[in-house]
Amino acid sequence: GPVWKDHTFFFASYEGLRMVQGQSNILSVPSAAARTGNFSGIANIYNPNLTQPNPAFDPTRPVSASNPQSLRPQFANNIIPDNLINPIAKRVLSQFVPLPNLPGESNNFLDTRAQRLSNDQGDVRIDQILAGGTSLFGRYSISAERGYTPENLPGFGSFNDNRVQNLSLTAIKPWSPNLVGEFRGGVSRMVLHRFAENANGPDWIRILGIPGAGFGGPEANGLPQFNVQGYTPFGDSLLCTPCRYADTVLQGGAKTTWVHGDHALKFGGDVERFRWNMNGFFQNRGYFQFSPGFTSQTLTNDGTGNALANMLLGLPVLQQVQNGIPSMEMRQTY
């Protein structure tokens, strides 16, 4: 619409989106008995603290479940004594892993959290016509997106807060009836921010006393990921939490058009400066993977043992931690 008749005009727009999408997922969590160390009726588990050489081992044959090099005694009634249960594992299971709400030892938890998305977009443009035919216009656009995505078990998920902005300015100047100049400049900026549901909360790495992990400040607080074979992962996702991406593009240019008879000649130039910064955290809280091996009878894949029993004993088969902060600072001039 016009602001000043035949001279100044404006345009504006807005668009908003709000979405809540319920999700139903069947997950697997430990039973009340298993998380206390009672595996009766679940699995045969063996004590890794009492591993002994197998007197019947045949060194002329390959090591296998039928020819084990070592043997372990079975826990009485397949129950881990309370004094052998790792206090960190015990607290993680009791405080961060919900009890089953469906029957069975697997596929026993119905998760009904919702994914949320909010988006707002807006544009403003001003056109100005000056004396002598000179015209100016400027446009500013912005898009802001915020959302939440559930991950792993209830209490764990990630938020995103993203923003894209663009500013463009153009001036067109007729120097003479056959010579027209155009000058333009602009800047665009995109900022992406992703952080965990537990960001800025308690520093659980320190509270639980997990050594060798946990750094990055309050926004990087949270729980490691515990990947226990047969169950849905416990703790925070390994995806970038938190992380920030920011790129900025600055651009300017000029162009002149000369018309002579049936011919037209255009010449000019552009310059563009690109900046992109990124830093992120992936395993700063640590990652622990558990399989049945440490509580198997023969130290082989013999079908005995239980991954959760290994967690209760504090025996991960794999543990990893991020070393330093992955970051990039990219620059380009064109």
Side-chain angles (χ1 to χ4, degrees):
V3 177
W4 179 18
K5 186 177 180 182
D6 298 330
H7 289 279
T8 308
F9 305 87
F10 81 95
F11 169 83
S13 70
Y14 168 77
E15 177 181 332
L17 171 68
R18 301 293 183 270
M19 183 181 75
V20 179
Q21 184 176 11
Q23 299 178 346
S24 296
N25 295 302
I26 301 295
L27 310 177
S28 295
V29 297
S31 64
R35 65 182 68 201
T36 64
N38 186 347
F39 291 88
S40 300
I42 300 174
N44 292 327
I45 57 173
Y46 298 80
N47 192 340
N49 298 312
L50 301 176
T51 302
Q52 299 289 334
N54 177 17
F57 172 64
D58 183 356
T60 65
R61 295 167 50 206
V63 176
S64 65
S66 60
N67 184 41
Q69 194 170 13
S70 302
L71 292 172
R72 293 169 174 152
Q74 190 169 357
F75 281 108
N77 300 317
N78 292 310
I79 298 175
I80 301 174
D82 191 63
N83 66 305
L84 294 183
I85 293 179
N86 182 280
I88 296 175
K90 185 176 182 179
R91 184 167 182 181
V92 168
L93 289 169
S94 64
Q95 191 163 345
F96 298 100
V97 181
L99 288 166
N101 55 18
L102 297 173
E105 290 296 330
S106 63
N107 298 324
N108 56 3
F109 184 82
L110 175 62
D111 181 17
T112 57
R113 290 174 291 170
Q115 183 176 19
R116 300 175 182 272
L117 176 67
S118 172
N119 186 280
D120 295 284
Q121 301 179 54
D123 301 274
V124 176
R125 172 171 170 158
I126 301 293
D127 288 76
Q128 178 72 45
I129 299 175
L130 304 176
T134 298
S135 63
L136 308 171
F137 91 82
R139 184 190 70 246
Y140 173 72
S141 303
I142 183 171
S143 175
E145 178 185 273
R146 297 164 300 281
Y148 169 75
T149 302
E151 295 170 349
N152 299 339
L153 298 173
F156 300 94
S158 64
F159 291 94
N160 64 278
D161 185 2
N162 307 327
R163 180 170 296 183
V164 179
Q165 301 176 81
N166 181 277
L167 175 66
S168 178
L169 303 170
T170 300
I172 299 175
K173 170 69 175 178
W175 301 108
S176 68
N178 63 341
L179 191 65
V180 178
E182 179 180 336
F183 307 89
R184 58 190 179 276
V187 57
S188 64
R189 180 166 173 81
M190 177 177 68
V191 178
L192 308 180
H193 182 202
R194 187 177 189 277
F195 54 99
E197 183 174 345
N198 292 295
N200 301 303
D203 187 353
W204 286 112
I205 301 296
R206 301 289 175 265
I207 295 172
L208 293 171
I210 299 175
F215 63 89
E219 195 176 62
N221 287 350
L223 208 66
Q225 182 171 117
F226 300 92
N227 193 336
V228 182
Q229 185 176 316
Y231 298 98
T232 301
F234 314 149
D236 280 299
S237 169
L238 294 181
L239 296 175
C240 186
T241 48
C243 59
R244 295 177 183 270
Y245 298 82
D247 74 57
T248 304
V249 179
L250 300 167
Q251 185 174 9
K255 179 177 68 176
T256 298
T257 302
W258 177 53
V259 179
H260 182 70
D262 295 333
H263 302 280
L265 177 66
K266 295 183 179 182
F267 53 93
D270 283 286
V271 61
E272 181 180 291
R273 176 66 170 171
F274 172 76
R275 299 185 300 173
W276 190 72
N277 297 331
M278 184 280 287
N279 65 68
F281 298 81
F282 295 85
Q283 292 186 1
N284 57 303
R285 293 176 294 271
Y287 169 74
F288 299 89
Q289 181 178 325
F290 299 88
S291 63
F294 286 119
T295 51
S296 65
Q297 181 184 22
T298 62
L299 285 71
T300 64
N301 187 19
D302 59 10
T304 63
N306 184 276
L308 184 68
N310 288 1
M311 179 180 178
L312 288 169
L313 292 169
L315 298 174
V317 68
L318 175 69
Q319 48 190 344
Q320 297 175 333
V321 68
Q322 177 176 330
N323 182 17
I325 304 174
S327 62
M328 283 181 272
E329 296 183 359
M330 302 172 66
R331 303 290 185 267
Q332 183 184 53
T333 302
Y334 170 78

